[in-house]
Amino acid sequence: MWSSLWRSRDRFSLDELRYLIDQLQKVQIVNNVNKDFVIEALRSISELITYGDQHDSNYFEFFMERQVMGEFVRILKVSRTVSVSRQLLQTMSIMIQNLKSEHAIYYLFSNEHINFLITYAFDFKNEELLSYYISFLRAISVKLDKNTISLFVKTQNEEVVSFPLYVEAIRFAFHEENMIRTAVRALTLNVYHVGDESVNRFVVKAPHADYFSNLLTYFRKQCIDLNGLVSETLKNPDSDTTTAILAAVDEIEDDLYYISDVISAGIPDVGRLITDKIMQLLILPLLLPSLQLDAANDIQIGAITSLYLLCCILRIVKIKDLANTIAAALFCSPEAFIADSETKLNGYVPDHVHEIQQPENENVIEVNGCSKQIMQSLSSSSQVRTEDIISKGVSHSTLRDALLSYITVGDDLQVLGSLSMLATLLQTKELDEIMLDALGILPQRKQHKKLLLQALVGEDSREDQLFSLGSSSIRDEFNCELDGHLQTLKDQYGVACSSLELGTTPSAHRFQVLHTLVSLFCRSNISPETLWDGGWLFRQLLPYSEAEFNSQHLKLLKDSYKNCTCDLLEETRGTWPDLLVSILRDEWKKCKRAMEASSPPKEPKCILFPLEKSSADDVLPSESSIISGEKMCKVVKVFVLLHQLHIFSLGRALPDQPPTCLPSDIPENSRARTAGLDASGPKLGAELRLVDAVPCRIAFERGKERHFCFLAISVGTSGWILLAEELPLKKHYGIIRIVAPLAGSNPTIDEKHSRWLHLRIRPSTLPVLDPAKSITHGKAKTKALVDGRWTLAFRDDESCKTALSMIIEEFDLQSSEVKRRLNSLLNIEGSIDVPDTSLQPSEASSSTQTPSNSS
């Protein structure tokens, strides 16, 4: 029998199909002897049926006539090998996926053979067999519609009482293999999107409705596991958990998108069911209790993870009731949730333990980088007491207060987390505007639009009340709607929240948020990237005229701007003044894009990782030029942000470029002009005049001393140290052999050898400016650059001092030009005095051991 299989036949012919079916019907038992033939026959039949579906309908007619589906079931029953079961499932999947004829699909689904395969007791200990089985079920689900779905259910009194395809699939909904989970979820969505009312009632009735509860329970476990990874990273920043966190984040977001897809399928009551389960299993017992500053050690999820999860839920799961319930819960005290939290994780250590930083200067009291003088000035014109702003270790009246406290006294990640939460709420379209107003994050232009609309429809046409944000009618509407949401929270979830204090208005809450953000911009220990997120939120809330913006706010922003201006001026005499203007122009464009973007600069998941480390952390000494450069970049970022916020607060349009001055021409009497250099600067191998050059010696290799002529030259904002070889046949001319940056050279005459001049030679560029060398979640992609060290030997003491004076003189010219270029930018409205920080040559020569830069 088996030898006849190899006789010559047209592979894609009806005779071949007839032959295969005839041979298959002769098989009485499948064992190791004939399993290869059976597997090949099953595979070939699927190919022929697919081919016939596209070319000749007689193929499938013959398939039905010979009742091959029944033969498949018989082969499965007499088979003793897993490989045959696997091939049978693959054969069915291939046919179902590729058949285009509705008649053919209906025939495959219209007998009990397909349901027999669905409910057959396969040996799922074989993981590969399980994968083929799930693929088979998924292939069926793709072909479901309102006509075919009835072939897979059993009904009684017009109600579905059995649906094996769905029930068998969700058994594996939480399998450890991601591909299986994904396939099951795709199947369930295909079922939900059919829109059959009787099937929809079936999936939301017990016990099948448990699937949704189990889905949220599984999601809850994923959240707790993520928190464990985040807590480990925060306790041990050097631990290699980044990949694991990213994988966990991807899975959590996939889960939420699936939940959102389930809701959008339109099954009655599923949205309410999922909302209730999210609130009861995750948000109320785990996420919200952790938001208080003094969270107990037995809280299962830390504040950082909770803020991220809340942002994800609001962004992805678009349920109006869920969004409003979460927002309303922020007006409850933390104790309202802790009392109802019954599930605790023993031994949990919270994300952060915060301490108030002790100031080094006893004359200045600082709270996490914000001087108490500023804080008192901030609170003096608001309803927020200074004690409330700087208090720590005490319970705050509501979770909303805790969120604002994170911004004023929290660390970088807590500030970023709180800002992300507020920004997410502001962008949540499902959230009622009254809730945004209650939280204090409804942009005032939207408030005016709302009031104007009320006036146009006749609710309140008096002009004196149109823009009166504290009017009694608005306050009454505000309190009434908010109390309704709080009552819903109590009735549905048993969380009792007291109403807001009498007289509270949206205006008071809005100004409280503005006060909080202004206090953030006064803090010196928060990263510029986090401040940019705060700037984005600040701009969303900021009114468009100074009359609507508290004058005290404007004063505090100006004070912070002045402090930052002083820091920027120090950088004009620092290690990298030659890059200062270009970096500032680049950061200006980046900040403008970030402030005007539709979303905050950072995604919420950024709060799960430690802040990006300096590329020189634990590698370079503190006096390294690389560290000085990174510090300068941070100063520039903060300066640009505060400058742009000031422009926004005045209601002015933000220019595309910062108002810096144009470069000046090279003076005729300058050393650069005398040497024959133009604005492009020196080039290796180029010829120059050696006027004022000082002969010196230097050894770049042991025992190989070389003779050069030394020159220090500045052109505009750039400056260089040049070593040239004198031309023997052309007097007073030389060839440039070595070029090094002038800034950051820190010239120092040796204490024991007064003819030796020590120089630090920094890199020509900053690694932080190269995206390819940027830091990714705390890990540098390349090795950190190190500074070079030169020791130049001169003929006598006077020559050495001349070289030192030349460096100082040219650096002063370079620094002055940088300061001139920035002058119009620094003197905002002409109100900032620019201090003179130049260093005179006499001062430098009297303290030659002190480098003349800021690093």
Side-chain angles (χ1 to χ4, degrees), residues 252-381:
I252 282 174
E253 294 190 1
D254 286 345
D255 289 347
L256 287 173
Y257 279 114
Y258 171 66
I259 291 171
S260 178
D261 289 341
V262 171
I263 295 167
S264 65
I267 303 176
D269 301 327
V270 167
R272 167 52 56 193
L273 177 62
I274 290 179
T275 297
D276 290 345
K277 293 301 179 182
I278 290 179
M279 293 298 298
Q280 294 166 358
L281 293 175
L282 185 63
I283 293 177
L284 295 179
L286 294 182
L287 303 188
L288 293 178
S290 69
L291 297 185
Q292 56 178 330
L293 281 178
D294 54 347
N297 286 354
D298 56 356
I299 297 295
Q300 291 193 48
I301 292 185
I304 296 301
T305 310
S306 294
L307 288 168
Y308 161 73
L309 292 171
L310 287 169
C311 289
C312 277
I313 291 170
L314 288 168
R315 284 190 305 113
I316 298 174
V317 184
K318 301 184 182 300
I319 303 178
K320 185 178 182 67
D321 289 344
L322 178 63
N324 284 296
T325 301
I326 292 175
L330 296 178
F331 291 96
C332 299
S333 66
E335 291 77 11
F337 307 103
I338 295 176
D340 293 332
S341 180
E342 299 176 355
T343 53
K344 309 279 178 139
L345 185 62
N346 293 330
Y348 167 73
V349 179
D351 285 350
H352 292 60
V353 177
H354 306 279
E355 299 291 341
I356 298 180
Q357 298 180 1
Q358 297 297 327
E360 296 181 3
N361 187 344
E362 295 181 357
N363 296 323
V364 179
I365 301 176
E366 288 199 358
V367 180
N368 279 21
C370 187
S371 68
K372 188 171 182 179
Q373 180 180 5
I374 293 178
M375 300 296 288
Q376 289 174 336
S377 178
L378 175 67
S379 61
S380 63
S381 62

Side-chain angles (χ1 to χ4, degrees), residues 46-84:
S46 66
E47 290 182 351
L48 287 167
I49 295 302
T50 302
Y51 172 82
D53 183 66
Q54 300 173 10
H55 298 89
D56 189 348
S57 61
N58 289 325
Y59 283 73
F60 199 80
E61 293 293 335
F62 185 76
F63 180 87
M64 293 188 294
E65 178 185 334
R66 298 294 294 270
Q67 298 184 4
V68 179
M69 284 294 296
E71 284 301 314
F72 285 171
V73 170
R74 187 184 66 81
I75 289 295
L76 181 61
K77 291 179 179 179
V78 301
S79 173
R80 301 182 185 275
T81 60
V82 172
S83 57
V84 172

Side-chain angles (χ1 to χ4, degrees), residues 425 653 812:
L425 288 165
D812 282 345

Side-chain angles (χ1 to χ4, degrees), residues 769-827:
L769 302 180
D770 185 356
K773 300 177 182 179
S774 62
I775 310 299
T776 303
H777 300 307
K779 296 182 180 292
K781 293 183 179 179
T782 59
K783 293 182 179 179
L785 297 175
V786 295
D787 297 324
R789 300 290 174 178
W790 288 4
T791 299
L792 301 174
F794 295 89
R795 293 175 179 174
D796 49 42
D797 296 358
E798 190 62 31
S799 297
C800 187
K801 291 180 180 179
T802 299
L804 173 65
S805 297
M806 189 187 309
I807 292 175
I808 295 173
E809 178 184 348
E810 292 299 317
F811 181 70
D812 282 345
L813 292 173
Q814 179 184 5
S815 175
S816 297
E817 175 62 13
V818 174
K819 194 183 300 182
R820 186 196 68 80
R821 293 281 305 277
L822 298 177
N823 193 52
S824 60
L825 184 67
L826 297 176
N827 287 277

Side-chain angles (χ1 to χ4, degrees), residues 197-217:
E197 294 182 2
S198 60
V199 171
N200 289 347
R201 290 193 297 270
F202 175 82
V203 300
V204 296
K205 288 192 303 186
H208 314 296
D210 291 343
Y211 169 68
F212 302 108
S213 300
N214 295 336
L215 175 64
L216 271 300
T217 301

